[in-house]
Amino acid sequence: MKKLFHWITQAFLSVGRGDILLKMGVHRYLPHIVVAFIFCTLSIILSYFADNTLILRSQKMKELEKVKILYNIKNGDMISLWRMTEVENTLEKMGSKVTAPEKPATELK
């Protein structure tokens, strides 16, 4: 049992110190491993930024749809206020003596 425990601790220490990599001859491929690690890290970072951009875009699209709806509502209200009957009703409520013309305007030449 003591031998097994000693072997396990030596194995962990060997991995921690990097001796196992030297025994396997991996040190020859260290530049390749570093480049692969850099590319993987760069890929993860770029995908994170792309996801954040897409989330921001979808939020802005939802906000734009809400603003378009509000614009259409306001536009409809403004158009309805400029109808002749609505103008006449508003003038009557305000107590104004202005009314719609009874005959068409004459043009001067």
Side-chain angles (χ1 to χ4, degrees):
M1 186 69 170
K2 206 172 199 184
K3 256 185 176 176
L4 181 66
F5 181 71
H6 181 67
W7 183 81
I8 292 173
T9 56
Q10 287 301 320
F12 277 118
L13 290 175
S14 172
V15 169
R17 287 187 300 237
D19 293 340
I20 194 161
L21 296 175
L22 290 174
K23 288 178 185 175
M24 293 174 61
V26 177
H27 63 282
R28 291 178 287 177
Y29 305 110
L30 189 61
H32 299 92
I33 294 170
V34 169
V35 169
F37 176 76
I38 290 171
F39 282 144
C40 289
T41 306
L42 187 63
S43 173
I44 291 169
I45 290 170
L46 290 177
S47 66
Y48 173 75
F49 283 129
D51 286 343
N52 281 345
T53 303
L54 290 175
I55 289 170
L56 182 64
R57 182 180 180 272
S58 65
Q59 288 173 350
K60 294 294 181 184
M61 291 296 286
K62 288 177 184 175
E63 186 178 332
L64 182 62
E65 288 176 13
K66 290 177 184 177
V67 170
K68 281 182 181 178
I69 291 170
L70 184 64
Y71 170 77
N72 287 333
I73 291 170
K74 295 287 183 184
N75 194 21
D77 291 344
M78 291 298 292
I79 289 171
S80 68
L81 286 176
W82 285 104
R83 281 193 227 132
M84 185 60 97
T85 55
E86 192 68 31
V87 171
E88 288 175 357
N89 291 339
T90 306
L91 288 172
E92 285 178 13
K93 287 178 186 174
M94 293 173 63
S96 176
K97 296 178 183 177
V98 178
T99 59
E102 294 176 7
K103 60 181 181 176
T106 56
E107 293 183 20
L108 300 175
K109 293 186 181 185

